[in-house]
Amino acid sequence: MDRACTVEDEAARLRALERYRLLDTPRERDFDEIAEAAAELCETPIAVVNLVGDGRQFFKAEFGLGVRETPLETSFCKQALLQEDFLYVPDATRDPRFEGNPLVTGGPGLRFYAGALLKTAEGHPVGTVCVLDTKPHELTERQRRGLMRLARQAMAQMELRRSLREQAEQRLLHERILDSATDYAIVATDAQGRVTRWNAGAERTLGWSETEMLGRTVDAFFTPEDQAEGRPQTEMRLSLEHGSAPDERWHLRKDGSRFWASGEMMPLRTEDGETIGFLKILRDRTEQRESGAALQASEMRYRSLVEVSPQVVWFGDAAGNVTYCNAYWYDYTGLPAGETGEASWMGVIHPDHREATRAAWLAAAGSGRPYEVEFPLRRADGQYRWFLSRAQPQRDADGAVRSWIGTSLDIHERKFAEERFKTLTELAPAIIWFGNPDGSLSYLNDRWYAYTGQTPEQALPLGWGEVIHPDDLPGLLRVWEHARTNEVLYDTEARLRRRDGEYRWFLIRAEPMRDAGGTVVGWLGSDSDIHDRRQTEEELRRAREQLRLAVEAAETGVFDFDLVSNELNWDARLRSFYGLAPDAPVDLAVHLARVHPDDHAGADEAVRAAVDPAGDGVYDITYRTVAPEDGTERWVSAKGQTLFEGGRPVRLIGFARDVTESRRAEQALRETEERYRLASRATNDAIWDWDLATNHVLWNEALGEAHGYAPDAVEPTGDWWIAHIHPDDRPRIDRSIHRVIDGLGSAWSDEYRFLRADGSYADILDRGYVIRDAAGRAVRMIGAMFDITERKRAEEHQRLLTGELQHRVKNTLALVQAMASQTFRDAPDLGAAREAFSARLISLGRAHDILTQSSWTEAPIAEVVEGALAVHRGAAASRIRASGPNVPLAAKPALALALALHELATNAAKYGALSNDSGSVDLRWHVVHEGEAPRFCLTWAEQGGPPILAQPSRRGFGSRLIERSFAAEVGGEVKLTYAPTGLTCRLEASLASMQDTGEEAAA
């Protein structure tokens, strides 16, 4: 909820802030730690302890901001002051109070704010402990409470400093009052009468300086007679017995002269009543003795001094009636001047303290002992303020009380400061303690007792040493003694035993507290638990050592570029990458001057990209350096990361390695790979590279070209290769290749059938070589698949030809044998037999010639017909008319048809149509496509020859040869018709039997 703020409220707030006197003061660690704790608690990059002045805001502590003061107009904290205790802005762009704020819409682009008010005891807000971020945040209740606690701690620190300052000012005021009382020799001593304080009046009256008298006894300014009587000791005794020991007697000056002095000795006691020394007040009364006027003048001067005193000074008579008050009393109380009655001064004391104050004063007046009491005194405006009232009885030479001198000092601020300080010491997260000049302790806050389990009786004044770790205690005592002896800051670290017996590290510090004269009167110290920090520092130290060793082992260089100061730092190794001496100065210009000209633009661009707030801040580049001294060229690989604060690059840090050798190796590898690639492209063989550890296989392009596989159809695994081997070959190949891999061999070779993309199998000769590691394990295998399908086909064809030749020779010899046997057996004479046998051999040879031309695979029917009838055509070529489609014939059907046509032509020349001059032969063939399979039909028809008057009485060798060579060999039908007009022969077989080569291949 927003609070209303008036002009009067703001003026009061600024007055409250001024009382702390913290604006424009240097940084202090206590406040810095509060800011760091706030940033850590709320997980934000920015945290400040902020004091809001008149039109400005001053950062007593800041974390992550980098400035100590900013204008108040755009400040989030200006709005925070209007809150009761806390301002929380999860996203400033969604908050109407801040959505147009330049700090939100422009740089640095703040989005999140949370601030806890710093409030005085009177409720005046003087600043905040706040956290900020450039991105929205959700604040947990724990973080909110923690931020409020940190604000209270910051306020406690402010109150502590204010209290200490005001106490020092009060001490200084007292010192100045004493020093200003130059008519009085005021001497303070310890309990043994040794001088501890010697004011200017003492130096003036007695002649000795303070330096000369410190540590000496007061006997020095007593006369020899009094010294002999022990007068100094008597006065100390009387003052202890009666509260004071007044006297008037002769005293000695430094020059030996005597003077009459009225004086008084009073004991100095602590609040607990312990006597810690004496106060001796002397006044030169020589002239008073000689002249009453001089005494009155002196009293007037004293009155004048009292009147201008910045505190209440009052006198009382021996009975305890107040007879005089200085002007300060009347100005403060508003009472009528000169009014000193009991009713008047009792009336301005707070009602709750009147009786106690009156009783204390009457008791002191009745006993003659010093009077001291604290009470609230009403000011003229009705406000009550705390005063410390003290009075000392003034005695005559006989020790009787003649009068009282008293002062009342405004201790209101000190009183509240003491209360606040007490509260602060109890609330402070650290152990707070007070030390005495002798090294003992007079105070420890509750944190000590809660942590150690000691009681005040056990810890004070010297029992605190029992909880210090035995190994740390001697060193701690040496540092403590050194600090006290030299009056310097006490700063050490030691382990303190917790109440459960565990030891934890603490940072122990103390500042000497001095009086107005610079004398150390005590020590204000604190013990802060740094155990976790020590562990973190140790882990950081180990991490740094590991990093250093890693950097040394990796032979890397380190660079650190401060982008704010433009300062570039390299280690010695990185300098060597540039050809520089270990101590050579470096900057960005040196870096760019030694980068290879071809890499200069890239190196410059890499730096610009890395420091661009819009990028990821990564610096990653490989470039060449050139040393101008000798032209040495090196390859350097650098990697780094830019650090940003508030969207601004502030630091680029990283490492670099000399990669010259690896670059050369990479170049050689690229050249080797290029040669390999060109070689693999220049061959038709499928080259493979098998990583045995990962089962990954790399193929060249020839696999697709040779076997028809698209690149995306090939799986790069050994399993894919094995799966494409013919199932009958697969087990054998798997065994043979693993025999080499699992053994000690290096070379492998085998043949198998490999499945092509079209479903056919290719015959492959595969060779591979095994690469092994230092332990002899096979890690890689490289090889090539040679397609030997054509070679295998040629070998198979050669084998078939050899078998066919053997078969044909056997068949031909058998045929020749049969032809010879029949010819010579049926021939009428040897000459005729020889002639018939030769003709038949010639016809058989011509058929063989035709088949040989086609490698004994097939022959066109026209060539078979022409070859069989060529010997009979002669001059009567037109008498044999042949026609029909070009039907290719297999080897066996071709030989059978050739022999059948030869026999028909020979018979026609002897007995039929070709035996005269007018006969002719009509030879026709065709393919009949009827039924389930086509059939081959050939007809030999003679006409014009001698008429056939009767059927032949027997079958001759020609008829049998036709049937054997055609019907038996081809499985066809032979039909001979002896018509009167001439012979007709019809040959018929299935077209498949005339063209099938399967049987022949098998044979």
Side-chain angles (χ1 to χ4, degrees), residues 257-271:
S257 63
R258 297 191 178 200
F259 68 98
W260 181 263
S262 64
E264 184 176 16
M265 181 173 287
M266 295 169 287
L268 296 177
R269 292 189 173 96
T270 64
E271 293 181 354

Side-chain angles (χ1 to χ4, degrees), residues 84-309:
E84 284 298 330
D85 294 297
F86 202 86
L87 175 61
Y88 170 40
V89 183
D91 188 347
T93 60
R94 299 173 179 267
D95 193 319
R97 295 172 294 180
F98 304 104
E99 60 184 0
N101 192 308
L103 297 179
V104 177
T105 59
L110 296 178
R111 298 288 296 278
F112 166 78
Y113 175 89
L117 288 185
L118 299 176
K119 298 177 72 173
T120 68
E122 296 81 10
H124 296 300
V126 295
T128 63
V129 173
C130 61
V131 292
L132 305 97
D133 201 347
T134 56
K135 57 186 179 181
H137 262 279
E138 291 294 333
L139 198 68
T140 67
E141 182 60 28
R142 183 186 69 82
Q143 292 172 328
R144 176 189 176 96
R145 291 196 304 271
L147 203 58
M148 294 285 286
R149 282 195 296 272
L150 291 175
R152 290 193 293 272
Q153 291 179 19
M155 202 66 214
Q157 291 291 335
M158 292 168 62
E159 293 290 353
L160 173 62
R161 282 156 177 75
R162 175 183 169 189
S163 175
L164 293 176
R165 173 177 54 78
E166 291 176 350
Q167 288 182 11
E169 290 174 350
Q170 287 294 332
R171 287 195 300 271
L172 180 60
L173 177 61
H174 283 294
E175 294 292 340
R176 287 178 178 175
I177 291 174
L178 291 176
D179 288 337
S180 66
T182 57
D183 288 340
Y184 291 86
I186 303 176
V187 179
T189 73
D190 61 14
Q192 287 73 40
R194 290 188 291 269
V195 175
T196 59
R197 183 74 176 88
W198 186 270
N199 79 331
E203 183 175 349
R204 176 184 173 187
T205 303
L206 298 170
W208 285 283
S209 67
E210 184 178 36
T211 303
E212 292 173 317
M213 286 302 297
L214 288 178
R216 296 180 63 183
T217 64
V218 296
D219 292 6
F221 53 83
F222 279 80
T223 64
E225 305 93 274
D226 287 343
Q227 293 180 29
E229 292 177 1
R231 184 61 192 178
Q233 290 74 26
T234 299
E235 289 188 7
M236 288 189 283
R237 178 177 55 78
L238 289 174
S239 69
L240 291 174
E241 293 174 356
H242 303 288
S244 68
D247 71 337
E248 288 189 1
R249 59 192 334 102
W250 293 102
H251 288 276
L252 287 179
R253 292 191 174 95
K254 178 181 179 182
D255 60 3
S257 63
R258 297 191 178 200
F259 68 98
W260 181 263
S262 64
E264 184 176 16
M265 181 173 287
M266 295 169 287
L268 296 177
R269 292 189 173 96
T270 64
E271 293 181 354
D272 298 329
E274 179 185 359
T275 301
I276 60 174
F278 298 88
L279 182 68
K280 175 72 173 178
I281 302 177
L282 291 174
R283 187 178 184 189
D284 188 350
R285 307 289 286 183
T286 305
E287 294 182 2
Q288 184 183 33
R289 284 171 60 86
E290 299 174 350
S291 174
L295 176 59
Q296 187 176 5
S298 175
E299 288 179 351
M300 288 300 296
R301 286 194 299 272
Y302 178 70
R303 281 289 181 95
S304 299
L305 176 64
V306 169
E307 287 299 324
V308 300
S309 174

Side-chain angles (χ1 to χ4, degrees), residues 598-652:
D598 294 345
D599 300 337
H600 193 284
D604 197 25
E605 176 59 28
V607 174
R608 280 198 297 270
V611 301
D612 185 356
D616 57 6
V618 174
Y619 176 66
D620 190 350
I621 186 174
T622 301
Y623 55 88
R624 290 165 290 178
T625 64
V626 179
E629 295 79 8
D630 56 9
T632 300
E633 182 178 304
R634 298 177 178 85
W635 279 95
V636 176
S637 175
K639 298 180 183 294
Q641 179 68 48
T642 302
L643 305 179
F644 295 90
E645 289 184 3
R648 182 169 67 103
V650 296
R651 191 177 182 190
L652 173 59

Side-chain angles (χ1 to χ4, degrees), residues 528-657:
S528 301
D529 190 329
I530 60 168
H531 194 79
D532 296 335
R533 192 195 77 188
R534 287 267 302 208
Q535 289 183 331
T536 302
E537 289 173 350
E538 178 61 22
E539 292 172 359
L540 179 60
R541 186 194 64 77
R542 288 197 296 267
R544 286 175 174 168
E545 179 64 14
Q546 292 170 355
L547 176 60
R548 184 188 68 79
L549 295 175
V551 168
E552 290 295 328
E555 298 183 347
T556 58
V558 179
F559 62 87
D560 188 349
F561 188 12
D562 189 327
L563 300 170
V564 177
S565 64
N566 201 34
E567 181 180 354
L568 180 62
N569 291 314
W570 290 350
D571 65 359
R573 179 173 282 110
L574 186 53
R575 283 181 168 88
S576 69
F577 296 167
Y578 287 76
L580 295 170
D583 56 351
V586 295
D587 55 24
L588 190 58
V590 171
H591 160 69
L592 294 175
R594 290 180 175 251
V595 171
H596 193 284
D598 294 345
D599 300 337
H600 193 284
D604 197 25
E605 176 59 28
V607 174
R608 280 198 297 270
V611 301
D612 185 356
D616 57 6
V618 174
Y619 176 66
D620 190 350
I621 186 174
T622 301
Y623 55 88
R624 290 165 290 178
T625 64
V626 179
E629 295 79 8
D630 56 9
T632 300
E633 182 178 304
R634 298 177 178 85
W635 279 95
V636 176
S637 175
K639 298 180 183 294
Q641 179 68 48
T642 302
L643 305 179
F644 295 90
E645 289 184 3
R648 182 169 67 103
V650 296
R651 191 177 182 190
L652 173 59
I653 189 169
F655 63 89
R657 294 186 300 112

